[in-house]
Amino acid sequence: MEGVVYLLCAATALACGVLLVRGYRRSRSRLLLWCGLCFLLLCAENVVLFFDLVVIPDVDLLVVRRGLTLAGVSVLLFGLVWDAPRR
C-alpha cells in the first residue's frame, strides 16, 4: 500500500509541474517556470523514493533522494530571489 501512496505523490507532483510549466509557456511569468521545475524535481524524488523503499530496498538511495529534494527547493528559492520585485 505504501508504494501506491509514493506513486500517487509522484503523479500529483508531475501534474502540478506540467500545469505550471504550461502556464509559464502561455504567460511567460518566470515564477511559474521556477515552481514548475521545483515540482518536477520533487516528482523525480518521489519516483526514486518508490524505487528505494519498494522496488530495490537493499540499495540505499537516501543521498539521491535528498539531492533531488535539495535541488528542487534550491530552484524554487533561486526563482523567488531572482524574480523578486525590485524597489
Coordinates of all heavy atoms in Angstrom, one line a residue:
M1 N 0.8 -1.2 0.0 CA 0.0 0.0 0.0 C 0.9 1.3 0.0 O 0.5 2.3 -0.6 CB -0.9 0.0 1.2 CG -1.9 1.1 1.2 SD -3.0 0.9 -0.1 CE -4.2 2.1 0.2
E2 N 2.0 1.2 0.7 CA 2.8 2.4 0.7 C 3.4 2.8 -0.6 O 3.6 4.0 -1.0 CB 4.0 2.3 1.7 CG 4.9 1.2 1.4 CD 6.0 0.9 2.4 OE1 5.7 1.3 3.6 OE2 7.0 0.3 2.1
G3 N 3.6 1.8 -1.5 CA 4.1 2.0 -2.8 C 3.1 2.8 -3.6 O 3.5 3.7 -4.4
V4 N 1.8 2.6 -3.4 CA 0.7 3.3 -4.1 C 0.8 4.7 -3.7 O 0.6 5.6 -4.6 CB -0.6 2.6 -3.9 CG1 -1.8 3.5 -4.4 CG2 -0.7 1.2 -4.4
V5 N 1.0 5.0 -2.4 CA 1.0 6.4 -2.0 C 2.2 7.1 -2.6 O 2.0 8.3 -3.0 CB 1.1 6.4 -0.4 CG1 1.3 7.8 0.1 CG2 -0.2 5.8 0.2
Y6 N 3.3 6.5 -2.6 CA 4.5 7.1 -3.2 C 4.3 7.5 -4.7 O 4.6 8.6 -5.2 CB 5.7 6.2 -3.1 CG 6.2 5.9 -1.7 CD1 6.7 4.7 -1.4 CD2 6.0 6.8 -0.7 CE1 7.1 4.3 -0.1 CE2 6.4 6.5 0.6 CZ 6.9 5.3 0.9 OH 7.3 4.9 2.2
L7 N 3.6 6.5 -5.4 CA 3.4 6.8 -6.8 C 2.3 7.9 -7.0 O 2.4 8.7 -8.0 CB 3.0 5.5 -7.5 CG 4.1 4.5 -7.7 CD1 3.6 3.2 -8.3 CD2 5.2 5.1 -8.5
L8 N 1.3 7.9 -6.1 CA 0.3 9.0 -6.2 C 0.9 10.3 -5.9 O 0.5 11.3 -6.6 CB -0.9 8.7 -5.2 CG -1.8 7.6 -5.7 CD1 -2.8 7.3 -4.5 CD2 -2.5 7.9 -6.9
C9 N 1.8 10.4 -5.0 CA 2.5 11.6 -4.7 C 3.3 12.1 -5.9 O 3.4 13.3 -6.3 CB 3.4 11.5 -3.5 SG 2.5 11.4 -1.9
A10 N 4.0 11.1 -6.6 CA 4.8 11.4 -7.8 C 3.9 11.9 -8.9 O 4.2 12.9 -9.6 CB 5.6 10.2 -8.2
A11 N 2.7 11.3 -9.1 CA 1.8 11.7 -10.1 C 1.2 13.1 -9.8 O 1.1 13.9 -10.8 CB 0.6 10.7 -10.2
T12 N 0.9 13.4 -8.6 CA 0.4 14.7 -8.2 C 1.5 15.8 -8.5 O 1.2 16.8 -9.0 CB 0.0 14.7 -6.8 OG1 -1.0 13.7 -6.6 CG2 -0.6 16.1 -6.4
A13 N 2.7 15.5 -8.1 CA 3.8 16.5 -8.3 C 4.0 16.6 -9.8 O 4.3 17.8 -10.3 CB 5.1 16.0 -7.6
L14 N 3.9 15.6 -10.6 CA 4.1 15.6 -12.0 C 3.0 16.5 -12.6 O 3.3 17.4 -13.5 CB 4.1 14.3 -12.7 CG 4.2 14.2 -14.2 CD1 5.6 14.7 -14.6 CD2 4.0 12.8 -14.7
A15 N 1.8 16.3 -12.2 CA 0.7 17.0 -12.8 C 0.8 18.5 -12.4 O 0.6 19.4 -13.3 CB -0.7 16.5 -12.2
C16 N 1.2 18.8 -11.2 CA 1.4 20.2 -10.8 C 2.6 20.8 -11.6 O 2.4 22.0 -12.1 CB 1.8 20.3 -9.3 SG 0.4 20.0 -8.2
G17 N 3.7 20.1 -11.8 CA 4.8 20.6 -12.6 C 4.4 20.9 -14.0 O 4.8 21.9 -14.6
V18 N 3.7 20.0 -14.6 CA 3.3 20.1 -16.0 C 2.4 21.3 -16.2 O 2.5 22.1 -17.1 CB 2.7 18.8 -16.6 CG1 2.0 19.0 -17.9 CG2 3.7 17.7 -16.7
L19 N 1.4 21.4 -15.3 CA 0.5 22.5 -15.4 C 1.2 23.9 -15.2 O 0.9 24.9 -15.8 CB -0.7 22.4 -14.4 CG -1.6 21.2 -14.7 CD1 -2.6 21.1 -13.5 CD2 -2.4 21.5 -16.0
L20 N 2.1 23.9 -14.2 CA 2.9 25.2 -14.0 C 3.7 25.5 -15.2 O 3.8 26.7 -15.6 CB 3.7 25.1 -12.8 CG 2.9 25.1 -11.4 CD1 3.8 24.7 -10.3 CD2 2.4 26.5 -11.2
V21 N 4.4 24.6 -15.8 CA 5.2 24.8 -17.0 C 4.4 25.3 -18.2 O 4.7 26.2 -18.9 CB 6.1 23.6 -17.3 CG1 6.8 23.8 -18.7 CG2 7.1 23.4 -16.2
R22 N 3.2 24.6 -18.3 CA 2.3 25.0 -19.4 C 1.8 26.5 -19.2 O 1.7 27.3 -20.1 CB 1.1 24.1 -19.4 CG 1.3 22.8 -20.2 CD 0.1 21.9 -20.2 NE -1.0 22.6 -20.7 CZ -2.3 22.2 -20.5 NH1 -2.6 21.2 -19.8 NH2 -3.3 22.9 -21.0
G23 N 1.5 26.8 -17.9 CA 1.1 28.2 -17.6 C 2.3 29.2 -17.9 O 2.0 30.3 -18.4
Y24 N 3.5 28.7 -17.6 CA 4.6 29.6 -18.0 C 4.7 29.8 -19.5 O 5.0 30.9 -20.0 CB 5.9 29.0 -17.5 CG 7.2 29.6 -18.1 CD1 7.6 30.9 -17.8 CD2 7.9 28.9 -19.1 CE1 8.7 31.4 -18.4 CE2 9.0 29.4 -19.7 CZ 9.4 30.7 -19.4 OH 10.5 31.3 -20.0
R25 N 4.5 28.8 -20.3 CA 4.6 28.9 -21.7 C 3.5 29.8 -22.3 O 3.8 30.5 -23.3 CB 4.4 27.5 -22.4 CG 5.7 26.6 -22.2 CD 5.5 25.3 -22.8 NE 5.4 25.4 -24.2 CZ 4.8 24.5 -25.0 NH1 4.4 23.4 -24.4 NH2 4.7 24.7 -26.3
R26 N 2.4 29.9 -21.6 CA 1.3 30.8 -22.0 C 1.6 32.3 -21.6 O 1.4 33.2 -22.4 CB 0.0 30.4 -21.5 CG -0.6 29.4 -22.3 CD -2.1 29.2 -22.0 NE -2.3 27.7 -22.0 CZ -2.8 27.1 -20.9 NH1 -3.1 27.7 -19.8 NH2 -3.0 25.8 -21.0
S27 N 2.0 32.5 -20.4 CA 2.1 33.8 -19.8 C 3.5 34.4 -19.7 O 3.6 35.6 -19.5 CB 1.5 33.8 -18.4 OG 2.3 33.1 -17.5
R28 N 4.5 33.5 -19.8 CA 5.9 33.9 -19.7 C 6.2 34.5 -18.4 O 7.1 35.3 -18.2 CB 6.3 34.9 -20.8 CG 6.3 34.3 -22.2 CD 7.3 33.2 -22.3 NE 7.3 32.6 -23.6 CZ 7.8 31.4 -23.9 NH1 8.3 30.7 -23.0 NH2 7.7 30.9 -25.1
S29 N 5.5 34.2 -17.3 CA 5.8 34.6 -16.0 C 6.8 33.6 -15.4 O 6.5 32.4 -15.2 CB 4.5 34.5 -15.1 OG 4.8 34.8 -13.8
R30 N 8.0 34.1 -15.2 CA 9.1 33.2 -14.9 C 8.9 32.5 -13.5 O 9.5 31.4 -13.3 CB 10.5 33.9 -14.9 CG 10.8 34.3 -16.3 CD 12.2 34.8 -16.5 NE 12.8 35.3 -15.3 CZ 13.9 36.1 -15.3 NH1 14.5 36.4 -16.4 NH2 14.5 36.5 -14.2
L31 N 8.2 33.1 -12.6 CA 7.9 32.4 -11.4 C 7.2 31.1 -11.6 O 7.4 30.1 -10.8 CB 7.1 33.3 -10.4 CG 6.9 32.9 -9.0 CD1 8.3 32.6 -8.4 CD2 6.2 33.9 -8.2
L32 N 6.3 31.0 -12.6 CA 5.7 29.8 -12.9 C 6.7 28.7 -13.3 O 6.5 27.5 -13.0 CB 4.6 30.0 -14.0 CG 3.3 30.7 -13.6 CD1 2.5 31.0 -14.8 CD2 2.6 30.0 -12.5
L33 N 7.7 29.1 -14.1 CA 8.7 28.2 -14.5 C 9.5 27.7 -13.3 O 9.7 26.4 -13.3 CB 9.7 28.9 -15.5 CG 10.9 28.1 -15.9 CD1 10.5 26.9 -16.8 CD2 11.9 29.0 -16.7
W34 N 9.9 28.5 -12.4 CA 10.7 28.0 -11.3 C 9.8 27.1 -10.4 O 10.4 26.0 -9.9 CB 11.1 29.2 -10.4 CG 12.0 30.2 -11.1 CD1 11.8 31.5 -11.3 CD2 13.3 29.9 -11.8 NE1 12.8 32.0 -12.1 CE2 13.8 31.1 -12.3 CE3 14.0 28.7 -11.9 CZ2 14.9 31.1 -13.0 CZ3 15.2 28.8 -12.6 CH2 15.7 30.0 -13.2
C35 N 8.6 27.4 -10.2 CA 7.7 26.5 -9.4 C 7.5 25.2 -10.2 O 7.5 24.1 -9.5 CB 6.4 27.2 -9.2 SG 6.4 28.6 -8.1
G36 N 7.3 25.2 -11.5 CA 7.2 24.0 -12.3 C 8.4 23.1 -12.2 O 8.3 21.9 -12.0
L37 N 9.6 23.7 -12.3 CA 10.8 22.9 -12.2 C 11.0 22.3 -10.8 O 11.4 21.2 -10.7 CB 12.0 23.8 -12.6 CG 12.1 24.2 -14.0 CD1 13.3 25.2 -14.2 CD2 12.2 23.1 -14.9
C38 N 10.6 23.1 -9.8 CA 10.6 22.5 -8.4 C 9.7 21.3 -8.3 O 10.2 20.3 -7.8 CB 10.2 23.6 -7.4 SG 10.1 23.0 -5.8
F39 N 8.5 21.4 -8.8 CA 7.6 20.3 -8.7 C 8.1 19.1 -9.5 O 7.9 17.9 -9.1 CB 6.2 20.7 -9.1 CG 5.4 21.2 -8.0 CD1 5.2 22.6 -7.8 CD2 4.8 20.4 -7.1 CE1 4.5 23.1 -6.7 CE2 4.0 20.8 -6.0 CZ 3.9 22.2 -5.8
L40 N 8.7 19.3 -10.7 CA 9.2 18.2 -11.5 C 10.4 17.5 -10.8 O 10.5 16.3 -10.8 CB 9.6 18.7 -12.9 CG 8.5 19.2 -13.8 CD1 9.0 19.8 -15.1 CD2 7.5 18.0 -14.0
L41 N 11.2 18.3 -10.1 CA 12.3 17.6 -9.3 C 11.7 16.9 -8.1 O 12.2 15.8 -7.7 CB 13.3 18.7 -8.9 CG 14.2 19.2 -10.0 CD1 15.0 20.4 -9.5 CD2 15.2 18.1 -10.4
L42 N 10.7 17.4 -7.5 CA 10.0 16.7 -6.4 C 9.3 15.4 -6.9 O 9.3 14.4 -6.2 CB 9.0 17.6 -5.7 CG 9.7 18.8 -4.9 CD1 8.6 19.6 -4.3 CD2 10.7 18.3 -3.9
C43 N 8.8 15.4 -8.1 CA 8.3 14.2 -8.7 C 9.4 13.2 -8.9 O 9.1 12.0 -8.5 CB 7.6 14.6 -10.1 SG 7.2 13.1 -11.0
A44 N 10.5 13.6 -9.4 CA 11.6 12.7 -9.5 C 12.0 12.1 -8.2 O 12.4 10.9 -8.0 CB 12.8 13.4 -10.2
E45 N 12.0 12.9 -7.1 CA 12.3 12.5 -5.8 C 11.4 11.4 -5.3 O 11.7 10.4 -4.7 CB 12.4 13.6 -4.8 CG 12.9 13.3 -3.4 CD 11.8 12.8 -2.5 OE1 10.6 13.2 -2.7 OE2 12.1 12.1 -1.6
N46 N 10.1 11.6 -5.6 CA 9.1 10.6 -5.2 C 9.2 9.3 -6.0 O 9.0 8.2 -5.4 CB 7.7 11.1 -5.4 CG 7.3 12.0 -4.3 OD1 7.4 11.7 -3.1 ND2 6.8 13.2 -4.6
V47 N 9.6 9.4 -7.2 CA 9.9 8.1 -8.0 C 11.1 7.4 -7.4 O 11.1 6.2 -7.3 CB 10.1 8.5 -9.5 CG1 10.6 7.3 -10.3 CG2 8.8 9.0 -10.1
V48 N 12.1 8.1 -7.1 CA 13.3 7.5 -6.5 C 13.0 6.9 -5.1 O 13.4 5.8 -4.8 CB 14.5 8.5 -6.4 CG1 15.6 7.9 -5.6 CG2 15.0 8.9 -7.8
L49 N 12.1 7.6 -4.4 CA 11.6 7.1 -3.1 C 10.9 5.7 -3.3 O 11.1 4.8 -2.6 CB 10.7 8.1 -2.4 CG 10.0 7.6 -1.1 CD1 11.1 7.5 0.0 CD2 9.0 8.6 -0.7
F50 N 10.1 5.7 -4.3 CA 9.4 4.4 -4.6 C 10.4 3.3 -4.9 O 10.3 2.2 -4.4 CB 8.4 4.6 -5.8 CG 7.8 3.3 -6.3 CD1 6.8 2.8 -5.6 CD2 8.2 2.7 -7.5 CE1 6.2 1.6 -6.0 CE2 7.6 1.6 -7.9 CZ 6.6 1.0 -7.2
F51 N 11.3 3.6 -5.8 CA 12.4 2.6 -6.1 C 13.2 2.2 -4.9 O 13.5 1.0 -4.7 CB 13.3 3.0 -7.2 CG 12.7 2.8 -8.6 CD1 12.0 3.9 -9.2 CD2 12.7 1.6 -9.2 CE1 11.4 3.6 -10.5 CE2 12.1 1.4 -10.4 CZ 11.5 2.4 -11.1
D52 N 13.5 3.2 -4.0 CA 14.3 3.0 -2.9 C 13.6 2.1 -1.8 O 14.3 1.1 -1.3 CB 14.7 4.3 -2.2 CG 15.7 4.2 -1.1 OD1 16.4 3.1 -1.0 OD2 15.8 5.1 -0.3
L53 N 12.4 2.3 -1.6 CA 11.7 1.6 -0.5 C 10.9 0.4 -0.9 O 10.6 -0.5 -0.1 CB 10.8 2.6 0.3 CG 11.6 3.7 1.0 CD1 10.6 4.6 1.7 CD2 12.7 3.2 1.9
V54 N 10.5 0.4 -2.2 CA 9.6 -0.7 -2.6 C 10.3 -1.7 -3.6 O 10.3 -2.9 -3.4 CB 8.3 -0.1 -3.3 CG1 7.4 -1.2 -3.8 CG2 7.6 0.7 -2.3
V55 N 10.9 -1.1 -4.7 CA 11.4 -2.0 -5.7 C 12.8 -2.6 -5.3 O 12.9 -3.8 -5.4 CB 11.6 -1.2 -7.0 CG1 12.2 -2.0 -8.1 CG2 10.2 -0.6 -7.5
I56 N 13.7 -1.8 -4.9 CA 15.0 -2.3 -4.5 C 15.4 -1.8 -3.1 O 16.2 -0.9 -2.9 CB 16.1 -1.8 -5.5 CG1 16.0 -0.4 -5.8 CG2 16.1 -2.7 -6.8 CD1 17.1 0.2 -6.7
P57 N 14.8 -2.4 -2.1 CA 15.0 -2.0 -0.7 C 16.4 -2.3 -0.2 O 16.8 -1.7 0.8 CB 13.9 -2.7 0.1 CG 13.6 -3.9 -0.7 CD 13.8 -3.5 -2.1
D58 N 17.2 -3.1 -0.9 CA 18.5 -3.4 -0.4 C 19.5 -2.3 -0.7 O 20.6 -2.2 -0.1 CB 19.0 -4.7 -1.1 CG 18.1 -5.9 -0.7 OD1 17.5 -5.8 0.4 OD2 18.1 -6.9 -1.5
V59 N 19.2 -1.4 -1.7 CA 20.1 -0.4 -2.1 C 19.6 0.9 -1.4 O 18.4 1.3 -1.5 CB 20.1 -0.2 -3.6 CG1 20.9 1.0 -4.1 CG2 20.5 -1.5 -4.3
D60 N 20.5 1.6 -0.8 CA 20.1 2.9 -0.1 C 20.3 4.1 -1.1 O 21.4 4.4 -1.5 CB 21.0 3.1 1.1 CG 20.6 4.3 1.9 OD1 19.5 4.7 1.8 OD2 21.5 4.8 2.7
L61 N 19.2 4.7 -1.4 CA 19.2 5.8 -2.3 C 18.9 7.1 -1.6 O 18.4 8.1 -2.2 CB 18.2 5.6 -3.5 CG 18.5 4.4 -4.4 CD1 17.3 4.2 -5.4 CD2 19.8 4.6 -5.1
L62 N 19.2 7.2 -0.3 CA 18.9 8.3 0.5 C 19.6 9.6 0.0 O 19.0 10.7 -0.1 CB 19.2 8.1 2.0 CG 19.0 9.3 2.9 CD1 17.5 9.5 3.0 CD2 19.6 9.0 4.3
V63 N 20.9 9.4 -0.4 CA 21.6 10.6 -0.9 C 21.0 11.1 -2.2 O 20.9 12.4 -2.3 CB 23.1 10.2 -1.1 CG1 23.9 11.4 -1.7 CG2 23.7 9.8 0.3
V64 N 20.6 10.3 -3.0 CA 20.0 10.7 -4.3 C 18.7 11.4 -4.0 O 18.4 12.5 -4.6 CB 19.8 9.5 -5.3 CG1 19.0 9.9 -6.5 CG2 21.1 8.8 -5.6
R65 N 17.9 10.8 -3.1 CA 16.6 11.4 -2.8 C 16.8 12.8 -2.2 O 16.1 13.8 -2.5 CB 15.8 10.6 -1.8 CG 15.3 9.3 -2.4 CD 14.4 8.5 -1.5 NE 14.3 8.9 -0.1 CZ 14.5 8.2 0.9 NH1 14.9 6.9 0.8 NH2 14.2 8.7 2.1
R66 N 17.7 12.9 -1.2 CA 17.9 14.2 -0.6 C 18.5 15.2 -1.6 O 18.2 16.4 -1.5 CB 18.9 14.1 0.6 CG 18.4 13.2 1.7 CD 17.3 13.8 2.4 NE 16.9 13.0 3.6 CZ 15.7 12.7 4.0 NH1 14.7 13.1 3.3 NH2 15.5 12.0 5.0
G67 N 19.3 14.8 -2.5 CA 19.9 15.6 -3.5 C 18.8 16.2 -4.4 O 18.8 17.4 -4.8
L68 N 17.9 15.4 -4.8 CA 16.8 15.8 -5.7 C 15.9 16.8 -4.9 O 15.4 17.8 -5.5 CB 15.9 14.7 -6.2 CG 16.6 13.8 -7.3 CD1 15.8 12.5 -7.5 CD2 16.7 14.6 -8.5
T69 N 15.6 16.5 -3.6 CA 14.8 17.5 -2.8 C 15.5 18.8 -2.7 O 14.9 19.9 -2.8 CB 14.5 16.9 -1.5 OG1 13.9 15.6 -1.6 CG2 13.6 17.8 -0.6
L70 N 16.8 18.8 -2.4 CA 17.6 20.0 -2.3 C 17.6 20.8 -3.6 O 17.5 22.0 -3.6 CB 19.0 19.7 -1.8 CG 20.0 20.8 -1.7 CD1 19.5 21.8 -0.6 CD2 21.4 20.3 -1.4
A71 N 17.8 20.1 -4.7 CA 17.8 20.7 -6.0 C 16.4 21.4 -6.3 O 16.4 22.5 -6.7 CB 18.1 19.7 -7.1
G72 N 15.3 20.7 -5.9 CA 14.0 21.3 -6.2 C 13.8 22.5 -5.3 O 13.3 23.6 -5.9
V73 N 14.1 22.4 -4.1 CA 13.9 23.6 -3.2 C 14.8 24.7 -3.6 O 14.5 25.9 -3.5 CB 14.0 23.2 -1.7 CG1 14.0 24.4 -0.8 CG2 12.9 22.2 -1.4
S74 N 16.0 24.4 -4.0 CA 17.0 25.4 -4.4 C 16.6 26.1 -5.6 O 16.7 27.4 -5.7 CB 18.4 24.8 -4.6 OG 18.9 24.2 -3.4
V75 N 16.0 25.4 -6.6 CA 15.5 26.0 -7.8 C 14.4 27.0 -7.4 O 14.3 28.1 -7.9 CB 15.0 25.0 -8.8 CG1 14.1 25.6 -9.9 CG2 16.2 24.2 -9.4
L76 N 13.5 26.6 -6.6 CA 12.4 27.5 -6.2 C 12.9 28.7 -5.4 O 12.4 29.8 -5.7 CB 11.4 26.7 -5.3 CG 10.1 27.5 -4.8 CD1 9.3 28.0 -6.0 CD2 9.3 26.6 -3.9
L77 N 13.8 28.5 -4.5 CA 14.4 29.6 -3.8 C 15.1 30.6 -4.7 O 15.0 31.8 -4.6 CB 15.3 29.1 -2.7 CG 16.0 30.2 -1.8 CD1 14.9 30.9 -1.0 CD2 17.0 29.5 -0.9
F78 N 15.9 30.0 -5.6 CA 16.6 30.9 -6.6 C 15.6 31.7 -7.4 O 15.7 32.9 -7.6 CB 17.4 30.0 -7.6 CG 18.1 30.8 -8.7 CD1 19.2 31.5 -8.4 CD2 17.5 30.8 -9.9 CE1 19.8 32.3 -9.4 CE2 18.1 31.5 -10.9 CZ 19.2 32.3 -10.7
G79 N 14.5 31.0 -7.9 CA 13.5 31.8 -8.6 C 12.8 32.8 -7.8 O 12.5 33.9 -8.3
L80 N 12.5 32.6 -6.6 CA 11.9 33.6 -5.7 C 12.8 34.8 -5.5 O 12.3 35.9 -5.5 CB 11.5 33.0 -4.4 CG 10.3 32.0 -4.4 CD1 10.1 31.3 -3.1 CD2 9.0 32.7 -4.8
V81 N 14.1 34.5 -5.3 CA 15.0 35.6 -5.1 C 15.3 36.3 -6.4 O 15.3 37.6 -6.5 CB 16.3 35.1 -4.5 CG1 17.4 36.2 -4.4 CG2 16.1 34.6 -3.1
W82 N 15.5 35.6 -7.5 CA 15.8 36.2 -8.8 C 14.7 37.1 -9.3 O 14.9 38.1 -9.9 CB 16.2 35.1 -9.8 CG 16.6 35.6 -11.1 CD1 15.9 35.7 -12.2 CD2 17.9 36.0 -11.4 NE1 16.6 36.2 -13.2 CE2 17.9 36.4 -12.8 CE3 19.1 36.1 -10.7 CZ2 19.0 36.9 -13.4 CZ3 20.2 36.6 -11.4 CH2 20.2 36.9 -12.7
D83 N 13.5 36.6 -9.1 CA 12.3 37.3 -9.7 C 11.6 38.2 -8.7 O 10.4 38.5 -8.9 CB 11.3 36.3 -10.3 CG 11.9 35.7 -11.6 OD1 12.8 36.4 -12.2 OD2 11.5 34.6 -11.9
A84 N 12.2 38.5 -7.6 CA 11.6 39.3 -6.5 C 11.4 40.7 -7.1 O 12.3 41.2 -7.8 CB 12.4 39.3 -5.3
P85 N 10.3 41.4 -6.8 CA 10.1 42.7 -7.2 C 11.2 43.6 -6.7 O 11.5 43.6 -5.5 CB 8.8 43.1 -6.7 CG 8.2 42.0 -6.0 CD 9.2 40.9 -6.0
R86 N 11.8 44.4 -7.5 CA 12.9 45.4 -7.1 C 12.2 46.7 -6.8 O 11.3 47.2 -7.4 CB 13.8 45.5 -8.3 CG 14.3 44.2 -8.8 CD 15.8 44.0 -8.7 NE 16.4 42.8 -9.2 CZ 16.0 41.6 -9.4 NH1 14.8 41.3 -9.2 NH2 16.8 40.7 -9.9
R87 N 12.8 47.3 -5.7 CA 12.2 48.6 -5.3 C 13.2 49.7 -5.7 O 14.3 49.6 -5.9 CB 12.1 48.7 -3.8 CG 10.9 47.8 -3.4 CD 10.8 47.9 -1.9 NE 9.8 46.8 -1.5 CZ 9.2 46.8 -0.4 NH1 9.5 47.7 0.5 NH2 8.4 45.9 -0.1

